[in-house]
Structure formats: C-alpha cells, structure tokens
Amino acid sequence: MPLYKTITASPHTKVFIWKVEEPFEELSDGIQLTDHCQNRVDGMKSEIHRRGFMSIRHLMAEAGYVDADLYYDELGKPHLKDGKNISITHSFNFTGIIVSDKKVGIDIEKQREKILRIANKFTPLKEYHTLANEDALIRKLTIVWGAKESVYKMYAEPGLGFLQHINVTDFDFDDAKTTAKVLFKGRKSFYEMEFLEFEGFTCVYGWATKAIEN
C-alpha cells in the first residue's frame, strides 16, 4: 500500500500523504464506512474521487482512527470525535491529512500553468516580478494558493476572501516554510506554514499560532 510520506511537523502534529495507485476494490478491503460515508462514496461518479475517498480512510488508520471517528459540521469542515483537529485534501492521485492538537489545514495541488490565469484573484502578482522564469512563478503561486487554501480551511468562516483577507509572507523555495496572517472582521490571526514539492505536486500545511482582537 503506497503510504507516500509521513511528516512529524511537531510532537503533536503529523502529516500523512498517500499516492493513489490501487483499484477501488483493493482500497475498500478492510475499511468499514459509516452509512453516511457509504452513501457519499456510492454517489461519486468519478473513479479517482472514489479511490481518493477510500485512501483517506487508510491515512486515518495510519493516524489511529477509523471512519466512525470522523464527522463534519454544518460548513462541511471535518472533525475528530476525540477532540483532535484534522484537515483533509485530495488532488488527482495524491491525498493527504494532517492531525494535531492545534487548529490545522492542509492542501495538495498539482503544479499547472492554469494558476497563472487565476493568480490575480487570490494574490497581488506584482509581489513576484523578480522570479526568474514561468516555472518558478507557477511553483511559487501554487505554494501561495495552497497556503491560503489551508488557512481558509482552518478559519472556516463564510465571507473570508483569499485576496482581501489572507496574506502569505514572501519566502524562498529553500526555506520550505512561511507564515500567513488573516485580517477579518476586526480580528487578526496568525499561522505557521510549511510546504514540500514532489512529482509535480505541492503540499502546503500549517497550524494556527495566535489570534488578536483589534
């Protein structure tokens, strides 16, 4: 079974990444779904989504959980019944989860030229004019998008805008980390972010550090 990578981000925060290579039947073997999740997977038309859904249950098993330990709130945000925090991501043939005592978020994205066309909707492009070439710009924008997506998952409040409310501190690729800040409804929140790149994909994950009321 291709558990692709395990990362211990801190003593209380772990990341698990799966490369989805098995057929759905193999991924389903030994996995007991709740009625709600069985209905969800039965209703999926995309085979890669069905396989990704089941691979996430294997990642949960790596973290010591079963499907029945997971529930979703009214906004669709996942939670664990033991009070720990979880975030989930799926992109093409990679899936990932992060589990922590802290509020956490994770995002995996495929590095694609498409991001150049939508970049001005989520970040000020002028910040990246010094990048040497288009490939570097795609890489950086994918990290920024992943960081903002991760923060959005952590914040989980309607109305939060990627461009207007979430700022990602500029970074060097070699740093493999950055910070992010949210200013929303008079409240400042701060986040530590880390990232890695593999096989044309980018994974960004992070955790909340503090929040300040203005």
Side-chain angles (χ1 to χ4, degrees), residues 16-17 34 38 42 46 56 61-62 132 134 142 182 185:
F16 303 87
I17 299 172
T34 62
Q38 187 64 58
D42 288 346
S46 165
I56 287 164
E62 293 287 338
E134 188 175 276
T142 305
V182 170
K185 294 183 177 179

Side-chain angles (χ1 to χ4, degrees), residues 111-113 115-116 119 122-123 125 127-145 170-174 195 197 202:
Q111 297 166 359
R112 294 188 286 175
E113 192 176 317
I115 201 163
L116 298 173
F122 69 86
T123 190
L125 263 176
E127 294 181 6
Y128 312 110
H129 68 279
T130 58
L131 287 175
N133 55 55
E134 188 175 276
D135 286 346
L137 183 57
I138 290 170
R139 288 175 61 203
K140 177 151 278 196
L141 289 172
T142 305
I143 293 166
V144 172
W145 173 268
D170 198 14
F171 54 88
D172 292 327
F173 291 120
D174 291 342
F195 58 86
E197 299 171 293
T202 299

Side-chain angles (χ1 to χ4, degrees), residues 5-53:
K5 190 176 287 289
T6 302
I7 302 164
T8 302
S10 77
H12 305 291
T13 305
K14 292 194 79 169
V15 175
F16 303 87
I17 299 172
W18 193 276
K19 187 174 184 180
V20 184
E21 297 178 324
E22 313 89 334
F24 178 78
E25 292 73 19
E26 185 176 335
L27 286 163
S28 300
D29 190 33
I31 299 295
Q32 183 69 44
L33 296 177
T34 62
D35 290 344
H36 172 72
C37 284
Q38 187 64 58
N39 289 335
R40 282 186 63 193
V41 77
D42 288 346
M44 292 177 182
K45 295 179 180 178
S46 165
E47 183 67 11
I48 190 62
H49 285 158
R50 284 161 51 84
R51 291 163 63 203
F53 188 93

Side-chain angles (χ1 to χ4, degrees), residues 107 109 115 118-124 127-128 141-168 180-184:
D107 188 53
E109 297 288 341
I115 201 163
I118 65 168
N120 62 353
K121 295 181 180 179
F122 69 86
T123 190
E127 294 181 6
Y128 312 110
L141 289 172
T142 305
I143 293 166
V144 172
W145 173 268
K148 293 196 175 194
E149 182 71 30
S150 298
V151 169
Y152 186 84
K153 290 178 178 181
M154 284 186 262
Y155 209 92
E157 188 168 330
L160 182 70
F162 278 36
L163 182 62
Q164 307 94 321
H165 305 123
I166 307 173
N167 177 261
V168 176
K181 178 176 70 174
V182 170
L183 179 56
F184 187 57

Side-chain angles (χ1 to χ4, degrees), residues 90-103:
H90 178 201
S91 179
F92 293 88
N93 60 322
F94 282 98
T95 57
I97 67 170
I98 183 170
V99 177
S100 179
D101 293 342
K102 300 179 180 180
K103 189 179 292 186

